[in-house]
Amino acid sequence: MEFFSYRHKNRDDEYEDPRRDFLVTALTMGLFAAGGRALWPTNAFAMGWFASRQLPPGQSIYRVTGDVRINGVPANADTPIGPRETIETGSNSELVFVVGKDAFMLRENSHVELSALLEHGGGGGADEDSFADSILGGLRLLSGKILTVFGVRSEQQPLSLRTTTATIGIRGTGVYLESYPGSSYVCTCYGATELTATEDPASREEITSAHHDAPRFILGAGPEGDRIEPAPVFNHTDMELVLLEELVGREPPFAGSAGKY
């Protein structure tokens, strides 16, 4: 299995802790063959080589660093986060948090709006809508960068992600997003997504990815039907995905792969 490790040049060393934990264990267990290549038993996670970091009930935040504000109020480790919040991070700041079955790593200088699932025909009657305040229904990344992992959704629990230039429909998957005034970056780390350029519905692509197979740039301007372009993998790692999945009691699908990945 091959692990991607493309990181932002200014990332703080303290966020390497999942990787450091794994490397120490791997060296101890003799998982590395000559040449530094990792040998990956299919049951490595089941054997407990990665310590569980699942958050206890009622806790939303795994790590908060620097200037992080939730609905304009400075956040701390005890701040609850629901699916109807606005979150902003300043320079040299980051927030790792959980909402329901979904987990997130919000980078510095980022601004994200969460919205709850809109349930049709709920609440006071068959013709009325209500919000499921424990289930995330949408995420809008106005600026910055976020790594996300989502639990499997049913047809009745759709989830839509938005950036400045893209709309991303998903079920259960891992996705990394960067959002800028005239472009966006989307890596479907694993799972299935449907990408659409916001200002050009003709630019649309369905992606099924096992392991960072089809990262894309989505442009705000350009020829009709041609605003989605291939991109490299950068600024996020498999070990960060491992950490996020652990926070909600899951393993990433590539964890037990014995083939190419």
Side-chain angles (χ1 to χ4, degrees):
M1 188 198 319
E2 191 175 324
F3 264 55
F4 286 100
S5 179
Y6 298 85
R7 302 189 67 85
H8 192 282
K9 62 182 179 180
N10 293 323
R11 298 285 293 135
D12 194 325
D13 287 344
E14 72 174 293
Y15 297 103
E16 288 282 359
D17 67 332
R19 178 181 298 277
R20 186 180 301 113
D21 289 350
F22 167 71
L23 290 175
V24 170
T25 303
L27 290 170
T28 302
M29 301 294 293
L31 296 181
F32 286 95
R37 187 173 180 179
L39 305 178
W40 290 90
T42 58
N43 62 344
F45 280 73
M47 292 174 67
W49 294 349
F50 290 89
S52 174
R53 293 180 173 86
Q54 187 170 1
L55 293 182
Q59 183 176 337
S60 301
I61 293 178
Y62 173 74
R63 180 186 289 128
V64 56
T65 303
D67 182 17
V68 176
R69 297 175 183 268
I70 299 175
N71 300 326
V73 178
N76 59 53
D78 297 322
T79 302
I81 302 177
R84 302 178 73 176
E85 318 286 14
T86 296
I87 307 173
E88 298 177 83
T89 59
S91 299
N92 300 314
S93 303
E94 188 169 69
L95 180 67
V96 181
F97 66 101
V98 168
V99 177
K101 297 180 180 180
D102 311 319
F104 310 86
M105 182 178 288
L106 187 63
R107 310 291 201 201
E108 66 176 359
N109 297 319
S110 297
H111 183 179
V112 65
E113 295 177 346
L114 308 180
S115 56
L117 177 69
L118 181 62
E119 296 184 310
H120 299 289
D127 296 327
E128 295 183 11
D129 295 335
S130 66
F131 288 100
D133 283 334
S134 63
I135 302 174
L136 187 70
L139 179 155
R140 184 182 181 193
L141 184 64
L142 300 172
S143 61
K145 308 168 186 179
I146 191 168
L147 182 64
T148 65
V149 299
F150 299 99
V152 176
R153 301 299 179 106
S154 68
E155 293 285 352
Q156 291 73 40
Q157 298 178 335
L159 175 63
S160 177
L161 313 182
R162 290 187 294 162
T163 67
T164 51
T165 63
T167 300
I168 304 104
I170 72 169
R171 293 286 181 82
T173 188
V175 180
Y176 177 70
L177 305 174
E178 297 193 5
S179 185
Y180 302 98
S183 66
S184 303
Y185 172 78
V186 180
C187 178
T188 306
C189 306
Y190 43 84
T193 60
E194 182 178 294
L195 311 182
T196 306
T198 304
E199 299 299 326
D200 178 26
S203 294
R204 179 179 173 275
E205 183 177 6
E206 293 185 2
I207 291 175
T208 299
S209 171
H211 196 208
H212 311 278
D213 297 320
R216 296 290 187 260
F217 292 120
I218 297 91
L219 308 180
E224 183 177 348
D226 196 27
R227 298 188 188 182
I228 300 178
E229 299 180 348
V233 182
F234 56 78
N235 284 355
H236 62 294
T237 73
D238 281 341
M239 296 314 300
E240 290 171 333
L241 289 163
V242 168
L243 169 62
L244 293 184
E245 292 284 18
E246 283 187 345
L247 295 182
V248 286
R250 298 189 299 259
E251 300 172 4
F254 56 73
S257 174
K260 174 181 177 183
Y261 300 112

